[in-house]
Amino acid sequence: MIKTKLTQLLGIQYPIIQGGMAWIANAKLAAAVSEAGGLGLIGAANAPADVVRGMIREAKALTSKPFGVNIMLMSPYADEIAALCVEEGVKVITTGAGNPGKYFPAWKEAGIKVIPVVPSVALARRMERAGADALVVEGTEAGGHIGEITTMCLVPQVVDAVQIPVVAAGGIADGRGFAAALMLGAQGCQVGTAFICAEESPAHEEYKKLVAQAKDTDTVVTGRANGHPVRSLKNRFTKKIVELEKEDGSFEAVENLTVGSYRKAVQEGNMQEGTFMSGQIAGLVKEVRPAKEIVEFIVGDAQDVLKNALSKGGITIE
Ligand code: TUI
């Protein structure tokens, strides 16, 4: 049993949050992770408010345990979704790809636990001042929209800069990574890539196969030139984006090429036109298995690692 300030704050069994991955983090996956003792998240991504409301209601029907909603702040529906989370009695909100400051008063008033995802110390400090209950601190190893700093460097710097609990994200898919995050001062971890390969994940079989077969060097970051860096698995489509960026790195050009490409990856497994977002840790994810097994594997392995770190590593302290 690993109990931390995060398990206490959220009333969950294990300090593991499932990433709110666009098109993948649906009600079934979120409910499966929450049922397993972690915190499942519904990823609102760019979905309209009524679709998100439907997912929240479906998750409520599937689990009585706490789950959350991740709001992608670049979505045109972010304002509506921020309000509907209050209406629907959502217990936990995480946010990504922006500053959620303007929503804090309404969320706090409703008693919602607010956990912004931050890629820097500066934003972490600002979010703590605004009233965040905890932070997901996401390193550049993560999949999807990313910051510049690695998990290893960012987590301890944020831990030193704030008082609220820190959840490490980016590059964690097993007990070693989770244990390392705790050693850096985190109170929990967020896991994305490994849950793409959950049995309950709606990702296309081709997507799951790509993640399970990926090796360490198989991801690439596109979109740096237009200010929205996104990490995904290398394929013919990312090659096309990289070429376009060399010729015409304008926001519009890259946006026009990539619009709809996340859906094409998740729903169609479309290698020609799909962006298969994934973290660098894909090389460690080898198989498709139930969400419960993924949660229990990470926790069990971390306990073992923490108890036996010195003896197994042949390390002595004199
Ligand atoms: O948000 C993510 N990961 C994502 S969002 C996404 S969907 C998307 N669609 C189109 C373009 C880009 C993304 C896919 N993956 N992770 C959390 C995260 N948040 N990473 C980085 C940030 C972030 C960046 C800047 C958070 C705040 C921020 O603040 C800027 C500001 O306004 O101060």
Side-chain angles (χ1 to χ4, degrees), residues 72 74 96-99 117 119 123 126 138 144-145 262 277:
M72 207 281 281
M74 283 177 356
N99 181 342
V117 181
L123 194 59
R126 225 182 303 155
E138 189 180 89
H145 181 49
Y262 305 146
M277 293 190 279

Side-chain angles (χ1 to χ4, degrees), residues 8 12 14 40 57 80 94 103 111 114 121 131 140 149 172 180 219 226 244 246 249 252 261 264 286 297 301 304:
Q8 233 169 349
I12 55 177
Y14 305 123
R57 292 187 177 172
E80 280 171 69
T94 71
Y103 304 120
V114 183
V121 169
T140 194
I149 310 165
I172 300 171
T219 71
N226 73 8
L244 174 69
K246 279 186 202 145
E252 288 76 18
S261 67
K264 286 177 186 164
K286 301 279 192 237
F297 164 67
D301 198 26
D304 187 47

Side-chain angles (χ1 to χ4, degrees), residues 54-98:
M55 288 198 281
I56 293 169
R57 292 187 177 172
E58 191 186 341
K60 279 184 197 161
L62 291 170
T63 183
S64 54
K65 299 200 173 165
F67 65 89
V69 173
N70 172 267
I71 304 180
M72 207 281 281
L73 296 168
M74 283 177 356
S75 163
Y77 308 106
D79 286 351
E80 280 171 69
I81 292 165
L84 90 81
C85 285
V86 174
E87 288 165 28
E88 291 292 327
V90 169
K91 302 271 189 301
V92 186
I93 293 178
T94 71
T95 62

